[in-house]
Amino acid sequence: MLKISNLHKSYPIGDSSLHVLKGIDFEVNNGEMVAIMGSSGSGKSTLLNIIGILDEYDSGEYTLDGVAIKDLSEKKAAVYRNKFLGFIFQSFNLINYKNALENVALPLYYQGLKRKDRQEKAKFHLEKVGLLDWAHHLPSELSGGQKQRVAIARALAANPKLLMADEPTGALDTTTSYEIMEFLQQLNDEGKTILIVTHEEDIAAMCKRVIRLRDGVIMEDKIVEQVRAATAHV
Ligand code: ADP
Ligand code: MG
């Protein structure tokens, strides 16, 4: 699915620079559910943004589904993002003035689907996250957990090969967090490859593999016995 070798990334800071990723190596295979852990500032989001083709890296190699991801034009990057990747964020990133259905339908617009097909597909995915009855509600009328479900439906609408989540439960209470994790586990059971950035141990334990970052290097990368969210104690 994806392979990263000796990846480096620095941010320019005035005349000097901040070396954030210092030689990252790992592979993710189809069907994995991987947590990327590390304290704040360890480079988790930087790494996820590079994997998500939202940011560039300085040196090393990154291939996604056999495609070398380096120095892509903005247009090509957008094509690959749309084709391969779905994103979920801590703050949901829904469009406030669009209702749940319209939010889910949006990525389908960029795939060139006709309006009717977009609506139908969006409905299908909203139903999957249990929110069909909320289709015509604005994000401001939804709870945090519901907003994140809409965001998941939106991320899934274009049928990405890889679902990426940056602190998806960071803004949610524990009960709601576990409901979201239960849903992500079900998706992974169905075969979806999932990458989750988190700094919460209980969330990481609900994945099947945990990669720990510290100061821009991988400290540990191991397979774990997955805790099922449905049976986890809040
Ligand atoms: P994490 O997600 O693990 O908290 P980040 O990847 O967001 O870490 O940040 C890693 C380091 O890079 C931090 O020190 C942060 O301040 C810095 N950083 C992140 N983004 C930028 C940027 N766009 N410009 C400069 N420094 C940045
Ligand atoms: Mg972060």
Side-chain angles (χ1 to χ4, degrees):
M1 163 69 63
L2 72 87
K3 185 174 194 308
I4 283 175
S5 321
N6 200 21
L7 189 91
H8 286 261
K9 166 81 177 177
S10 297
Y11 290 113
I13 305 278
D15 289 340
S16 71
S17 73
L18 181 67
H19 198 179
V20 176
L21 299 178
K22 304 171 182 168
I24 300 287
D25 293 281
F26 70 98
E27 279 182 50
V28 177
N29 294 315
N30 284 325
E32 283 201 89
M33 182 165 183
V34 184
I36 297 177
M37 287 210 81
S39 52
S40 180
S42 57
K44 304 182 299 294
S45 294
T46 301
L47 179 58
L48 202 73
N49 288 342
I50 290 170
I51 295 172
I53 329 180
L54 295 166
D55 199 356
E56 306 213 313
Y57 55 96
D58 300 327
S59 65
E61 278 166 43
Y62 169 30
T63 52
L64 175 62
D65 209 43
V67 179
I69 306 294
K70 181 75 177 163
D71 300 328
L72 298 179
S73 66
E74 195 39 56
K75 203 171 161 188
K76 264 220 154 126
V79 168
Y80 288 133
R81 271 198 300 272
N82 224 308
K83 192 162 149 195
F84 293 132
L85 306 167
F87 294 91
I88 306 167
F89 302 93
Q90 174 171 354
S91 50
F92 322 123
N93 291 17
L94 300 175
I95 296 176
N96 292 325
Y97 57 85
K98 289 189 184 289
N99 68 32
L101 188 70
E102 291 164 340
N103 266 284
V104 176
L106 198 62
L108 300 170
Y109 177 84
Y110 296 108
Q111 287 208 332
L113 260 71
K114 294 224 160 55
R115 187 183 154 81
K116 197 162 172 283
D117 296 336
R118 296 201 298 269
Q119 295 269 329
E120 244 159 56
K121 249 194 171 166
K123 271 188 186 159
F124 172 83
H125 286 284
L126 263 186
E127 181 158 37
K128 225 178 153 195
V129 298
L131 286 178
L132 194 52
D133 290 346
W134 294 81
H136 300 289
H137 287 258
L138 292 172
S140 59
E141 298 167 323
L142 305 175
S143 69
Q146 287 175 322
K147 280 186 233 185
Q148 197 58 301
R149 279 168 190 270
V150 173
I152 292 172
R154 178 184 57 182
L156 292 174
N159 195 24
K161 298 199 168 172
L162 176 65
L163 187 61
M164 315 178 58
D166 195 350
E167 308 267 6
T169 62
L172 305 174
D173 62 62
T174 306
T175 303
T176 311
S177 293
Y178 288 8
E179 283 167 16
I180 293 295
M181 287 307 293
E182 189 182 344
F183 191 74
L184 293 178
Q185 287 181 335
Q186 282 167 14
L187 284 173
N188 177 250
D189 292 345
E190 292 166 15
K192 190 67 80 189
T193 311
I194 304 181
L195 207 53
I196 299 178
V197 161
T198 181
H199 62 267
E200 296 165 287
E201 291 286 350
D202 54 343
I203 299 300
M206 292 171 184
C207 298
K208 294 173 171 169
R209 173 180 167 197
V210 179
I211 295 176
R212 286 177 202 272
L213 276 185
R214 191 196 288 165
D215 296 332
V217 296
I218 292 181
M219 297 298 297
E220 187 181 56
D221 180 350
K222 69 170 185 190
I223 305 294
V224 294
E225 193 172 330
Q226 186 182 44
V227 173
R228 297 301 293 190
T231 59
H233 294 288
V234 173

